[in-house]
Amino acid sequence: MQRIKQGDEVIVIAGRSKGQRGNVLKVLQDGRLLVNNVNTVKKHVKPNPQIEEKGGIKTKEAPIHASNVMLYNPASGKGERVGFKVLENGKKVRVFKSNGEVVDA
């Protein structure tokens, strides 16, 4: 089980995007994440008439390493560490370390 999953709201704790919040769009195999509106880069694209793509400068999200983000806790309003707990029914869930609140609903 992973500490950060697709769809989670995270906050960046290191790097040039420090302090920004966004939702995880994709989790890559090498421990990096694509986060919505975080770590944006500009890419110069040539026009391709075969697929009707316009040229110009496009903005897109670049991957950020998972160690540079923390799961955002809406109750406290900041990023917090995540642990794991096994419930009585045998299901393994993620919990916030500070207050023990279950992340997975």
Side-chain angles (χ1 to χ4, degrees), residues 6-70:
Q6 184 174 340
D8 287 344
E9 187 172 3
V10 295
I11 187 165
V12 180
I13 59 170
R16 69 174 190 192
S17 299
K18 183 176 181 175
Q20 292 182 352
R21 275 191 356 221
N23 290 328
V24 177
L25 299 173
K26 189 173 185 181
V27 178
L28 304 175
Q29 290 291 326
D30 55 354
R32 295 183 301 157
L33 313 167
L34 280 177
V35 182
N36 190 24
N37 295 326
V38 172
N39 196 25
T40 56
V41 294
K42 295 192 182 276
K43 181 169 174 63
H44 293 72
V45 179
K46 289 179 99 172
N48 188 348
Q50 292 178 348
I51 59 172
E52 298 177 8
E53 182 179 19
K54 288 181 133 183
I57 302 171
K58 297 189 177 183
T59 305
K60 66 176 214 169
E61 293 90 7
I64 186 168
H65 199 269
S67 66
N68 294 331
V69 298
M70 289 182 97

